[in-house]
Amino acid sequence: MPQVPTLAETIRLDARTKLLNSKEHEGMLNSGYEGVLEIEKKLANSVGWSATSGQVDNWVYEEANSESQHSFKMRDAQHNRLMNTNLNSFSKLVKIFWEAN
């Protein structure tokens, strides 16, 4: 009999494969404005799931924050790329991190 994953399992899988996947981010950045918007939406959706279901583990935000800090501090080129590609979504990403914190 097939098993349906729980919401928490689905959120963890989605976080690992999309939200925290640096290859996924690179692909999104390569698609330009819409790609940065998609990154912003994925983080916003995680916060939404967290607020409505409580099923998002803290490590998801810790890893997302760590990935972003690494990208923003160590790889200025990516930071500038996010800002130059879609400043509005970049600003929202920063706000979402503050909200999640």
Side-chain angles (χ1 to χ4, degrees), residues 14-90:
D14 189 59
R16 276 191 230 97
T17 59
K18 296 178 183 173
L19 181 63
L20 304 174
N21 185 336
S22 58
K23 289 183 182 181
E24 174 86 5
H25 282 211
E26 187 61 33
M28 290 290 149
L29 286 172
N30 287 337
S31 65
Y33 180 91
E34 287 295 321
V36 178
L37 181 62
E38 284 302 311
I39 293 170
E40 177 224 325
K41 285 180 183 179
K42 288 175 186 177
L43 184 60
N45 286 342
S46 292
V47 172
W49 279 115
S50 186
T52 58
S53 72
Q55 298 296 308
V56 180
D57 298 328
N58 284 339
W59 67 263
V60 172
Y61 297 115
E62 291 166 3
E63 290 290 320
N65 187 44
S66 177
E67 176 79 21
S68 296
Q69 284 182 357
H70 174 73
S71 296
F72 298 161
K73 290 180 181 175
M74 304 303 281
R75 299 185 325 194
D76 289 336
Q78 179 147 341
H79 179 231
N80 289 333
R81 194 170 167 197
L82 281 166
M83 285 183 14
N84 293 333
T85 304
N86 186 336
L87 182 59
N88 187 45
S89 284
F90 175 77

